[in-house]
């Protein structure tokens, strides 16, 4: 579905540029989430940081179960985005550090092990951002790594994200 959005952007020449950029950014976010889910990443969360920083529009965070899994998620996401959309990431870190960052410009993917993710707690650090949990679409081959019981029909890209409860700052 996200691939179709990216392909259709070239056909939609009547869209104002700002709207086209937003659609492209959201399609990129969706592709990253889909690819991470296909690699069985856990706890995929999207922070909408538009208006809070100039670093990116979205931070996507997920976890792997081991250094091998973290590396596999990173390699799988890079490969899928290169194949599906011709996108290349600027990687930072490595699996041995338990944190890999893939920078796709307006969407940055953070892949952690659970302990490192809890320690740095970017979700709390960016508590002012709108936070959503990614929910794999029905029919996903492995049933979604985010607990298949939480799946819902995802006919629209926004249906794949559930609003997280508002967290209070400590």
């Amino acid at each position: 579905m996200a691939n179709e959005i990216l392909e259709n952007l070239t056909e939609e020449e009547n869209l104002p540029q700002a709207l086209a950029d937003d659609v492209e950014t959201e399609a990129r976010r969706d592709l990253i989430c889909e690819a991470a889910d296909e690699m069985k990443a856990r706890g995929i969360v999207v922070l909408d940081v538009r208006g809070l920083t100039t670093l990116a529009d979205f931070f996507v965070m997920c976890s792997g179960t081991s250094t091998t899994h973290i590396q596999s998620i990173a390699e799988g996401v890079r490969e899928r985005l290169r194949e599906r959309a011709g996108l290349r990431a600027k990687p930072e870190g490595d699996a041995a550090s338990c944190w890999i960052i893939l920078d796709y410009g307006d969407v940055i993917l953070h892949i952690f092990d659970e302990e490192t993710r809890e320690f740095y707690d970017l979700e709390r650090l960016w508590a002012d951002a709108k936070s959503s949990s990614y929910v794999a679409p029905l029919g996903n081959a492995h049933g979604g790594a985010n607990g298949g019981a939480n799946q819902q029909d995802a006919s629209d890209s926004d249906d794949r994200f559930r609003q997280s409860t508002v967290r209070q700052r400590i």
Side-chain angles (χ1 to χ4, degrees):
M1 177 183 216
N3 288 341
E4 294 169 10
I5 294 171
L6 284 175
E7 291 170 6
N8 290 335
L9 285 177
T10 58
E11 298 170 12
E12 299 285 339
E13 297 190 20
N14 295 331
L15 286 176
Q17 187 59 43
L19 179 58
D21 290 345
D22 283 347
V23 171
E24 187 174 326
T25 298
E26 290 173 4
R28 186 174 298 125
R29 173 205 63 198
D30 293 351
L31 275 173
I32 290 168
C33 290
E34 289 169 8
D37 185 64
E38 289 172 12
M39 298 306 299
K40 300 186 181 186
R42 295 181 174 210
I44 301 172
V45 172
V46 176
L47 298 181
D48 183 342
V49 294
R50 291 178 286 196
L52 299 175
T53 183
T54 58
L55 292 174
D57 291 340
F58 296 100
F59 291 157
V60 177
M61 271 136 345
C62 65
S63 301
T65 57
S66 66
T67 55
T68 303
H69 189 209
I70 292 167
Q71 188 65 43
S72 295
I73 294 168
E75 290 172 4
V77 169
R78 289 180 75 193
E79 179 180 313
R80 282 166 176 73
L81 267 72
R82 200 172 27 247
E83 289 172 356
R84 295 177 184 169
L87 298 173
R88 299 196 181 278
K90 298 176 202 165
E92 292 291 331
D94 58 30
S97 70
C98 303
W99 186 358
I100 296 176
I101 298 170
L102 298 179
D103 185 347
Y104 286 97
D106 48 4
V107 183
I108 299 174
L109 173 63
H110 297 265
I111 309 165
F112 304 92
D113 73 357
E114 288 293 334
E115 186 177 324
T116 304
R117 184 174 182 175
E118 287 177 26
F119 179 80
Y120 287 101
D121 197 6
L122 294 183
E123 289 97 331
R124 186 182 62 78
L125 182 66
W126 291 94
D128 291 342
K130 183 177 166 186
S131 176
S132 303
S133 296
Y134 176 78
V135 178
L138 288 175
N140 195 349
H142 59 77
N146 291 309
N150 291 333
Q151 293 181 14
Q152 63 189 36
D153 181 52
S155 57
D156 176 63
S157 100
D158 290 337
D159 290 342
R160 285 182 269 165
F161 298 93
R162 287 210 185 120
Q163 295 306 130
S164 298
T165 56
V166 177
R167 291 181 297 266
Q168 295 182 351
R169 288 184 177 225
I170 299 175

